[in-house]
Amino acid sequence: MTIEETLKARSEERKRKMKEFNYKFNNTAYIDEIEKEPAYKRMGLDVTSPPNTTNNQSRMSLGKDSNDDLQLRSNNSFLHDNVD
């Protein structure tokens, strides 16, 4: 095949795929069917099994300040008020 024929074939294939794609969204019954299924099922996620947690330690801590008010602090040693 020549370059021109190859480009023409690719163009036709792209047009065909776009028509198929547009047809899926023009067909409201298809969209309604998709919306009935939860997103986690469409993505193939299993929500019945516990998540794979290897590090349960939080980066936040709960403490009290000088007025006995609760404060949520981040345990990030790089965040401080001292400017270099």
Side-chain angles (χ1 to χ4, degrees):
M1 273 211 274
T2 65
I3 294 176
E4 187 176 321
E5 290 172 343
T6 305
L7 291 175
K8 200 177 271 192
R10 281 187 182 173
S11 176
E12 292 300 320
E13 180 67 19
R14 249 185 263 124
K15 285 180 188 178
R16 188 186 59 76
K17 284 185 179 181
M18 289 304 292
K19 282 184 181 179
E20 277 182 27
F21 182 76
N22 285 337
Y23 177 73
K24 288 179 184 177
F25 290 102
N26 288 335
N27 186 357
T28 57
Y30 178 75
I31 293 173
D32 292 338
E33 188 66 31
I34 287 176
E35 288 179 344
K36 288 180 185 175
E37 187 176 19
Y40 70 91
K41 285 186 180 178
R42 289 192 305 251
M43 300 217 23
L45 297 176
D46 182 21
V47 295
T48 58
S49 65
N52 191 6
T53 57
T54 55
N55 186 6
N56 289 337
Q57 190 173 15
S58 174
R59 297 190 68 135
M60 303 294 278
S61 64
L62 188 63
K64 290 188 177 186
D65 62 1
S66 60
N67 297 332
D68 285 337
D69 291 332
L70 289 176
Q71 260 191 341
L72 189 62
R73 296 186 181 123
S74 67
N75 297 334
N76 190 340
S77 62
F78 295 102
L79 298 177
H80 53 75
D81 293 335
N82 299 334
V83 178
D84 293 335

